[in-house]
Amino acid sequence: EQEPEKRFTPQNVAVTTVWIAVPGRQLPRGQTAPATRVKLSCWRGLAEMAGQLQKGQVVMVEGKLTMPNYQGQDG
């Protein structure tokens, strides 16, 4: 996993990018789907806190999740 990446906009606004793993859902016959990695962008005060996260910490995320659609060459 990657460490949080903190940077600043030209207007000196803090932005931290952090990746989290979302556990996979339960499948039939006791199997579990693989975890999904989600990229979060945190701004301002939240960016300051997110920059202190460490691998393995449990976090709760509230907000809007947008996932880009992707279609491979095979359809």
Side-chain angles (χ1 to χ4, degrees):
E1 296 293 319
Q2 295 173 277
E3 293 294 320
E5 178 187 322
K6 184 177 172 185
R7 60 191 187 285
F8 292 88
T9 67
Q11 293 78 25
N12 205 34
V13 176
V15 182
T16 298
T17 301
V18 62
W19 288 87
I20 62 169
V22 178
R25 61 183 172 85
Q26 286 296 119
L27 299 174
R29 294 188 283 273
Q31 297 177 327
T32 303
T36 302
R37 291 182 69 224
V38 178
K39 180 180 178 181
L40 301 177
S41 296
C42 304
W43 294 78
R44 297 178 180 81
L46 186 57
E48 300 292 338
M49 290 188 290
Q52 298 174 21
L53 291 174
Q54 296 178 354
K55 183 177 178 178
Q57 281 187 288
V58 177
V59 297
M60 184 176 80
V61 178
E62 181 180 351
K64 182 178 178 182
L65 177 63
T66 56
M67 301 288 283
N69 292 329
Y70 174 78
Q71 184 171 353
Q73 292 178 347
D74 60 355

